[in-house]
Amino acid sequence: MTDEPSSGPTATHRPRPDRAHATVEAVFRIESPRVIAAVARVVRDVGLAEELAQDALVAALEQWPGQGVPDNPGAWLLTVARRRAVDLVRRKERYARKLAEVGRDLESVPPVEEPADPDDIDDDLLRLVFISCHPVLSAEARIALTLKLLGGLSTPEIARAFLAPEATLAQRIVRAKRTLAKKGVAFEVPYGPDREARLGSVLEVIYLIFNEGYAATAGDDLLRPALCEDALRLARVLQGLMPDEAEVHGLAALLEFQQSRAGARTGPDGEPVLLADQNRTRWNRLLIRRGFTALTRAHACGGAPGPYTLQAAIAGCHAEALTYAETDWPQIVAFYDLLAARTGSPVVELNRAVAVSMAHGPQRALELVDALAAASGLRDYHLLPSVRGDLLARLGRTKEARAEFERAASLARNVRERELLLKKAVRQGS
């Protein structure tokens, strides 16, 4: 008798083995963060929870091709992982009782109730974010590990987000898991100063998870809606948890604004629709209102605006414009000036150049982009030649623009983005 839930009565279909394997992989990618988070509460160990989630994946790969895919595959995976976690805990408890020889029947003794704390984090996924952002890890390791555990991102996707080599990121994730195990980091809830110390990493993780969903690094689809939804939900939960933190509201505002455009960002066949060409009547006005509410709360907290609040202000400028032509580009450039000074990020500088091109013309922006191209940070970043191609096209330098679009396409790993860039190249002629 196996410990896996029967899939016979609840199976919706029995696909071919190759399709079943693809289904398992797709479901696991979506559900693994929730499975890991829930199991970690049982075993009190993030690394072990990930292993148990992988065990559930193996069980699904063994059973689903023959027995059929369950109606609720996510719940199936969670049930298997939890059962194995409980079995593991019971085995460890039996061993501990024998080793200690205390002669007590622990099952007859009710567990000690932990005092309820109004400041507790009542959300498994958010709790796991804070735990993965433990200060025993470097900032880079915290983010990489959390993206792996919660974002369902592969190592290449995380490397892309960091603009770093894949081998470097793989080693960073392995070292992070080893460090947590070596230091005996428990599945704890941080409070007070400890929680505040981890907040910066937590915000960055939520931001990067949303970004991967908003513009997928690789694959056939531009969007991965489940990642956007998880990130937005975590940001909203964090608002309730830390209502006096301006950047918490700033991040929530930014994600609300960005998510409001989701329905207009792709065409009927899933092809990308650029901001200038989007049908703004399809933008979600409820999410835009939520964005402005969160932005107001961020400003009400006082102090100089942080990076997320500044990005939200930029997104708010786009949300206010009824048409692309009505966008307040000089105001956006001013926000980017502040953001670039705060972050020093080359990606921010590239986005600032785009705004400069709209406010002051393509030639001035091209000088900024050429300066960025001379640096090494964005050498393999496909959006750099993409932006440069757009500027060259606007200046009538079509042959150079075509070469830049072709180079951008060669660097793009998302199929939809690559197709768009190649179409741009073709439009420049031979």
Side-chain angles (χ1 to χ4, degrees), residues 333-351:
V333 171
F335 284 135
Y336 268 123
D337 289 342
L338 294 173
L339 185 60
R342 288 292 302 270
T343 65
S345 165
V347 174
V348 169
E349 291 286 0
L350 182 62
N351 290 332

Side-chain angles (χ1 to χ4, degrees), residues 150-161:
L150 278 100
L153 274 64
S154 66
T155 299
E157 289 168 339
I158 301 172
R160 188 73 170 181

Side-chain angles (χ1 to χ4, degrees), residues 280 314 317-318 320-321 323-335 355 358-359:
R280 300 193 175 204
I314 292 169
C317 287
H318 290 297
E320 284 181 318
T323 65
Y324 190 73
E326 296 178 54
T327 305
D328 189 348
W329 290 108
Q331 180 63 71
I332 290 177
V333 171
F335 284 135
M358 300 305 298

Side-chain angles (χ1 to χ4, degrees), residues 20-295:
H21 288 173
T23 300
V24 173
E25 292 171 1
V27 169
F28 188 76
R29 187 179 182 91
I30 295 170
E31 298 294 340
S32 62
R34 295 181 180 85
V35 174
I36 293 170
V39 172
R41 294 196 72 178
V42 178
V43 299
R44 319 291 290 183
D45 184 303
V46 171
L48 181 56
E50 187 181 17
E51 292 178 11
L52 291 168
Q54 290 288 339
D55 286 347
L57 170 63
V58 171
L61 288 170
E62 291 173 346
Q63 293 192 36
W64 291 7
Q67 299 181 7
V69 178
D71 286 334
N72 191 335
W76 192 99
L77 290 169
L78 181 56
T79 298
V80 171
R82 274 180 170 165
R83 287 177 179 175
R84 296 189 177 189
V86 170
D87 288 344
L88 181 62
V89 170
R90 286 172 177 168
R91 287 198 299 271
K92 286 185 176 182
E93 287 179 349
R94 285 197 294 267
Y95 176 76
R97 288 198 297 270
K98 291 177 181 178
L99 185 66
E101 294 181 347
V102 294
R104 295 172 55 191
D105 184 5
L106 294 182
E107 293 185 359
S108 66
V109 180
V112 178
E113 290 286 340
E114 295 184 5
D117 192 316
D119 199 31
D120 199 1
I121 302 176
D122 189 21
D123 185 283
D124 281 343
L125 286 178
L126 191 58
R127 180 182 282 106
L128 187 55
V129 173
F130 272 96
I131 291 164
S132 300
C133 291
H134 197 283
V136 299
L137 303 176
S138 68
E140 294 83 1
R142 296 175 205 168
I143 295 169
L145 179 61
T146 311
L147 287 173
K148 184 74 163 61
L149 294 178
L150 278 100
L153 274 64
S154 66
T155 299
E157 289 168 339
I158 301 172
R160 188 73 170 181
F162 275 97
L163 301 179
E166 291 180 20
T168 301
L169 260 297
Q171 293 174 1
R172 189 176 294 169
I173 292 170
V174 170
R175 284 197 298 267
K177 292 177 183 177
R178 288 175 179 171
T179 299
L180 289 177
K182 184 178 180 181
K183 297 291 185 180
V185 174
F187 193 69
E188 62 181 8
V189 175
Y191 296 95
D194 289 339
R195 182 178 296 177
E196 294 173 6
R198 303 188 204 181
L199 181 59
S201 291
V202 169
L203 293 177
E204 187 168 5
V205 164
I206 295 174
Y207 175 69
L208 290 175
I209 291 174
F210 183 90
N211 276 356
E212 181 58 33
Y214 192 72
T217 302
D220 296 333
D221 300 317
L222 179 68
L223 309 180
R224 293 172 61 186
L227 289 182
C228 290
E229 291 166 5
D230 270 348
L232 184 54
R233 185 180 61 80
L234 291 174
R236 290 170 178 170
V237 170
L238 201 57
Q239 279 186 285
L241 185 69
M242 308 183 80
D244 298 325
E245 292 287 343
E247 280 291 78
V248 170
H249 299 300
L251 176 63
L254 173 61
L255 303 194
E256 300 280 8
F257 285 135
Q258 298 292 76
Q259 184 67 0
S260 72
R261 305 178 201 161
R265 293 187 62 239
T266 55
D269 297 324
E271 71 278 11
V273 179
L274 300 178
L275 181 63
D277 302 321
Q278 288 176 17
N279 178 356
R280 300 193 175 204
T281 63
R282 297 186 63 193
W283 287 7
N284 188 314
R285 307 313 298 184
L286 174 60
L287 293 181
I288 289 174
R289 288 196 296 272
R290 291 183 66 108
F292 280 117
T293 298
L295 188 57

